[in-house]
Every structure is written in structure tokens, then in C-alpha cells.
């Protein structure tokens, strides 16, 4: 079949898409926890900084952010390679939306749990690490799973800054062959397959957390 001849190029693009997506999720998760914890436990200044970051990146278009970092930021002497720009912008997007997930989950921990921690003479850091986070993580995972899938889909926007991801290669092949049906059908299948794999990974992580595998000391304390 003629469609099979598209697979090598599309597969190379899919690898780039997967790498950008996984990198953005990993870095964005760090930003999400940092900003989310700052919103809840960081005091007035850190909470305000985290709030400004969250609202800025949630309140503006991801596409415009991508173009600003790639085309406007170099005008003041700061520039990144296209792949680094894509990962950075997607990471900031994940961090902004993920911080609200973290904040909401931390605030959902019952007051009685915090009172028990104070009765045990736990400090704020001990309460956060041993009481709040282990319980909040369970609540966060379904939302983080959805955010991970959304990040994969949004990663197609990096094709607009000349990154040869799956969408970029699909468009290039389509321009050469004019075979819209074949090229884009395979592209849809590619994104769907990657979504399934990502969903399975997130569910595995969620299952491990629910079993207490991620916090063995807290589970036995």
C-alpha cells in the first residue's frame, strides 16, 4: 500500500513528538508542584508570584506564547533552539494548569489531618511531606492524567516553529503527495496510539500511588 511508504517519516516525527511531550510533562510537573505548594504554603510573596505565573499562562493563548518565545524574545537577546522553545512553553503551560490541580488537592486535605499533625508536633514541612502530599497525590492523578493527554495534543503546535514533529512531517508529506486522506488518517492513528500509551503510564503511576508504593515510609509510619 502507498500509505506504508509514509510510515518511516511519520515515525521519526512521532519520536520527536513523544520526546517533547514527555519532557514537557516532567518539567511542567516540577513547576506545577512548586507553584501549587507556593500558593498554599508559600506565604504572601511567594503565593502572589505563583498566582501571577499561573494566571498569565492560563489566561493567554498557548500559540501566542510559543510565537512570543520564539520570535519576540530573541529581540532582547534571549533565544532558544526550536525544540527547547517548544519544551519550555509546553512546560510552562503544564505548570500553570497543574499548579491549580496541586493547590486544589492540598486544600482538600481535611482540617482534622492538620490538627492531628499539630498534635504530633509536626512542623509545616513535615505536615506537607508526611500528611498533605501523600493524600493529595491520590486526588491529583486523574486530573494530571487528563493534563498529560492534553499536552500531547497541544504539542502539535510546535510544528509552527519548524520542529519536525508528527504534525510537521504529516503536512510535509501531504504537500508532496496531495494524499490528505492517507497522511492524516495515519497521523490520527499515531496520536491516538501515543495517547493510549501515555494514559496507561499515568494509570500505572496512579495505581502505584494508591497502593502507597510511592510513599513506603509514610505508609508504615
Amino acid at each position: 500500500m502507498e500509505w506504508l511508504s509514509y510510515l518511516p517519516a511519520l515515525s521519526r516525527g512521532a519520536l520527536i513528538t513523544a520526546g517533547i511531550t514527555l519532557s514537557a510533562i516532567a518539567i511542567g510537573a516540577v513547576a506545577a508542584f512548586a507553584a501549587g505548594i507556593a500558593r498554599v504554603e508559600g506565604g504572601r510573596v511567594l503565593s502572589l508570584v505563583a498566582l501571577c505565573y499561573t494566571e498569565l499562562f492560563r489566561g493567554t493563548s498557548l500559540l501566542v506564547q510559543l510565537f512570543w518565545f520564539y520570535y519576540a524574545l530573541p529581540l532582547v537577546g534571549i533565544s532558544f533552539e526550536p525544540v527547547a522553545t517548544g519544551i519550555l512553553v509546553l512546560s510552562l503551560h503544564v505548570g500553570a494548569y497543574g499548579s491549580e490541580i496541586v493547590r486544589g488537592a492540598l486544600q482538600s486535605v481535611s482540617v482534622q489531618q492538620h490538627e492531628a499533625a499539630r498534635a504530633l508536633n509536626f512542623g509545616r514541612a513535615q505536615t506537607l511531606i508526611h500528611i498533605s502530599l501523600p493524600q493529595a497525590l491520590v486526588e491529583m492523578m486523574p486530573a494530571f492524567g487528563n493534563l498529560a493527554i492534553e499536552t500531547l495534543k497541544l504539542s502539535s503546535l510546535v510544528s509552527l516553529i519548524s520542529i519536525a514533529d508528527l504534525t510537521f512531517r504529516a503536512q510535509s508529506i501531504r504537500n508532496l503527495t496531495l494524499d490528505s486522506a492517507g497522511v492524516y488518517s495515519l497521523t490520527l492513528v499515531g496520536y491516538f496510539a501515543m495517547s493510549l500509551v501515555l494514559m496507561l503510564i499515568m494509570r500505572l503511576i496512579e495505581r502505584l500511588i494508591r497502593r502507597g508504593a510511592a510513599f513506603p515510609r509514610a505508609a508504615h509510619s
Side-chain angles (χ1 to χ4, degrees), residues 25 27 55 75 127 133 151 175 184 203-204 210:
I25 291 171
I27 298 171
E55 295 306 319
L75 298 178
T127 301
L133 273 178
T151 303
N175 290 339
Y184 292 132
R203 287 187 176 178
L204 176 61
R210 288 186 181 278

Side-chain angles (χ1 to χ4, degrees), residues 207-217 219:
R207 188 176 303 170
L208 290 174
I209 290 174
R210 288 186 181 278
R211 289 178 179 175
F215 292 94
R217 294 182 182 177

Side-chain angles (χ1 to χ4, degrees), residues 111-129:
V111 175
Q112 289 79 6
Q113 295 287 336
H114 290 279
E115 291 175 348
R118 284 195 293 271
L120 293 171
N121 203 28
F122 278 14
R124 293 179 65 180
Q126 288 178 303
T127 301
L128 177 66
I129 294 171

Side-chain angles (χ1 to χ4, degrees), residues 71-140:
Y71 294 111
L73 199 57
L75 298 178
V76 295
I78 303 173
S79 61
F80 302 97
E81 294 296 322
V83 172
T85 301
I87 292 174
L88 173 62
V89 174
L90 284 171
S91 298
L92 292 171
H93 172 84
V94 172
Y97 280 88
S99 68
E100 287 296 287
I101 298 172
V102 174
R103 181 184 65 84
L106 287 174
Q107 290 180 336
S108 72
V109 176
S110 66
V111 175
Q112 289 79 6
Q113 295 287 336
H114 290 279
E115 291 175 348
R118 284 195 293 271
L120 293 171
N121 203 28
F122 278 14
R124 293 179 65 180
Q126 288 178 303
T127 301
L128 177 66
I129 294 171
H130 297 293
I131 304 295
S132 299
L133 273 178
Q135 297 179 64
L137 270 174
V138 176
E139 303 297 326
M140 296 176 199

